[in-house]
Amino acid sequence: QVQLIESGGGLVQAGGSLRLACAASIRTFSTYVMGWFRQAPGKEREFVAATRSGASFYADSVRGRFTISGDNAENTVYLQMSSLKPEDTAVYYCAAGIIRGSSQRHYDYWGQGTQVTVSS
């Protein structure tokens, strides 16, 4: 049974930073693509970033502001978010899958989400 547990969400002012963490109970963590998605109120869930074995890719809206990283020893993936904007406000979800991609259908396991709120 794979479990993904997110942490690190909260309230931050525009221009500030937050770091999200996702602890994964996956025995072969390094073989999985670990991704972050987000869903703002009234909007569809969208891709943010993903990584596997150090190879990462990002949505255009966050590239240069967010950094995703994985710790294979701790089975944890992080999302460092900087220069946050009010439009980054959303529930952020951690996801794990085998196929590299930015579509939700590429991911087999999902966390329950953590709220990030950026005030102006």
Side-chain angles (χ1 to χ4, degrees), residues 68-81:
I68 188 170
S69 60
D71 185 334
N72 291 339
E74 297 293 330
N75 282 17
T76 300
V77 63
Y78 300 96
L79 185 68
Q80 177 68 48
M81 306 184 292

Side-chain angles (χ1 to χ4, degrees), residues 43-109:
K43 295 188 177 181
E44 293 188 356
R45 192 173 298 188
E46 64 176 6
F47 172 77
V48 175
T51 188
R52 178 168 59 190
S53 298
S56 305
F57 55 106
Y58 299 87
D60 289 344
S61 60
V62 306
R63 188 177 294 112
R65 299 188 299 121
F66 292 9
T67 302
I68 188 170
S69 60
D71 185 334
N72 291 339
E74 297 293 330
N75 282 17
T76 300
V77 63
Y78 300 96
L79 185 68
Q80 177 68 48
M81 306 184 292
S82 302
S83 302
L84 282 161
K85 305 174 182 181
E87 51 264 44
D88 293 319
T89 295
V91 177
Y92 283 70
Y93 297 91
C94 177
I98 296 297
I99 301 173
R100 185 180 184 271
S102 59
S103 171
Q104 294 183 60
R105 60 184 174 85
H106 292 133
Y107 296 84
D108 304 305
Y109 305 103

